[in-house]
Amino acid sequence: MPRSTEDPSGLTPEPPAATARTILLASPRSFCAGVERAIEIVELLLDQRRPPVYVRKQIVHNKHVVADLESRGAVFVDELDEVPDGATVVFSAHGVAPAVRAEGERRGLDVVDATCPLVTKVHAEARRYAARGDTVVLIGHAGHEEVEGTMGEALDQTVLVESVEDVAALEVEDPTRVSYLTQTTLAVDETSAILDALRNKFKGLRGPDSADICYATTNRQEALGALSEEADLVLVVGSVNSSNSVRLVELAERRGTPAYLIDDASGVREEWLDGVRVIGLTAGASAPPRLVEGVIEALRARGPVEVVEREVAQETIHFTLPVAVRNP
């Protein structure tokens, strides 16, 4: 006869406790120093001057940041011809070409530059290499604002490559005078392969004294790499136009782990979680930390979770604000 499932006490036994999921939380994650500086510049201008404060392009590539600043009086525009004469306009963290700066001066606009200092470094290198007569090979993604700004420093002498295949097809006027630069938000491993191809093709290739891929991009990739192989699933908080966020998704996928880019907790789909016990969680450098906390809370609402932080580096870099907002 089948064994009775009744408890001898007469009470209905409680169901077994659900096994907790583990969230491996990458560190560093979320805002970097350049993003914090750019957002602070717009916030200070909104406090110090009457709105509207105009911003050319998105100040950083995150829809939540943009929406928050819009609610406080920031007006985001694609080009300077949308800005009224004499108005205050902020250049985004991604930088602009010299032609855009010249237009701002010609229009008499009150320009405040929020370009990340690490992007400014790349612009300076582009001018230096072009001035000595080199062809400047820029490794980056076509259409990205940072790439457009950097190429604008020496448009006639700069060529863009996005892949090893682009390098193979590249022809330059003088193969002995070639320098390279990189977009600051690229995947380190993919960029290394392109650089190897460039060095093999142009034996005298010259480049910057220190890497152009910024510390924050590198740190976030290393932090994700440290946990991605343990995870059943990786969630990256960031917007679709955030290059460094997209690179994090691609990195996890190259390590063999399913990964998804989400703007916030509402982007988590239930079917992704089926059978998943370990979730890797990180955020791109332009994503607010509160969005990561929101994802954790949303996962906790689905059942017990244990959060384990994996830190690979501590970031202590801070960039000073421009004089225009320090001394209004």
Side-chain angles (χ1 to χ4, degrees):
M1 294 181 63
R3 182 181 298 178
S4 172
T5 57
E6 288 188 9
D7 188 290
S9 67
L11 301 176
T12 302
E14 293 185 3
T19 303
R21 281 195 178 103
T22 299
I23 298 175
L24 299 179
L25 189 59
S27 179
R29 62 186 176 273
S30 296
F31 282 169
C32 65
V35 164
E36 289 177 337
R37 174 180 181 270
I39 295 170
E40 186 176 3
I41 287 169
V42 179
E43 290 175 336
L44 286 171
L45 288 171
L46 289 168
D47 290 340
Q48 294 168 0
R49 310 178 190 188
R50 293 181 61 185
V53 168
Y54 292 84
V55 184
R56 183 184 180 275
K57 308 292 186 182
Q58 292 188 356
I59 186 66
V60 297
H61 286 158
N62 186 270
K63 75 173 194 177
H64 288 277
V65 171
V66 170
D68 177 62
L69 293 173
E70 282 180 328
S71 72
R72 298 169 60 178
V75 177
F76 292 88
V77 299
D78 285 328
E79 299 299 342
L80 294 186
D81 59 11
E82 302 172 61
V83 180
D85 290 344
T88 297
V89 61
V90 181
F91 290 158
S92 81
H94 308 103
V96 299
V100 177
R101 296 183 186 280
E103 182 184 355
E105 292 178 6
R106 179 183 61 80
R107 292 274 314 283
L109 300 176
D110 181 10
V111 172
V112 180
D113 191 359
T115 301
C116 174
L118 299 179
V119 175
T120 300
K121 165 186 171 287
V122 179
H123 282 225
E125 291 165 343
R127 293 193 297 270
R128 179 161 58 91
Y129 296 158
R132 68 189 185 194
D134 290 3
T135 296
V136 182
V137 179
L138 176 61
I139 304 171
H141 296 291
H144 192 279
E145 289 154 38
E146 182 186 328
V147 165
E148 292 175 351
T150 302
M151 292 191 70
E153 293 287 354
L155 196 56
D156 293 338
Q157 291 174 245
T158 307
V159 293
L160 178 67
V161 297
E162 300 183 83
S163 64
V164 171
E165 291 73 23
D166 286 348
V167 174
L170 180 62
E171 299 293 338
V172 300
E173 183 176 344
D174 185 350
T176 68
R177 301 195 63 83
V178 180
S179 298
Y180 77 88
L181 298 170
T182 73
Q183 184 180 330
T184 63
T185 55
L186 300 179
V188 175
D189 55 352
E190 289 191 315
T191 304
S192 295
I194 297 173
L195 270 176
D196 287 343
L198 282 170
R199 291 189 178 107
N200 288 333
K201 184 163 186 171
F202 305 109
K203 301 305 181 185
L205 183 72
R206 295 181 284 189
D209 295 332
S210 59
D212 287 337
I213 298 177
C214 84
Y215 76 93
T217 298
T218 301
N219 286 346
R220 280 150 189 74
Q221 290 176 18
E222 289 182 352
L224 180 60
L227 60 81
S228 60
E229 293 181 7
E230 298 178 57
D232 302 314
L233 169 74
V234 165
L235 298 176
V236 178
V237 181
S239 293
V240 293
N241 60 339
S242 167
S243 175
N244 72 89
S245 299
V246 173
R247 303 290 84 75
L248 290 170
V249 173
E250 294 171 348
L251 174 63
E253 290 175 338
R254 285 197 297 276
R255 301 289 179 93
T257 307
Y260 299 97
L261 182 67
I262 55 174
D263 271 304
D264 50 42
S266 68
V268 179
R269 293 169 58 173
E270 202 64 41
E271 59 265 30
W272 297 347
L273 305 178
D274 288 346
V276 168
R277 303 313 318 163
V278 181
I279 299 171
L281 179 59
T282 189
S286 50
R290 62 181 172 82
L291 300 180
V292 176
E293 296 303 318
V295 173
I296 293 172
E297 291 308 309
L299 292 172
R300 187 170 281 128
R302 291 169 162 88
V305 297
E306 178 187 13
V307 180
V308 179
E309 188 169 40
R310 294 286 177 81
E311 183 179 80
V312 302
Q314 291 188 350
E315 294 179 349
T316 58
I317 291 176
H318 177 76
F319 296 129
T320 58
L321 295 168
V323 173
V325 293
R326 279 185 281 142
N327 302 305

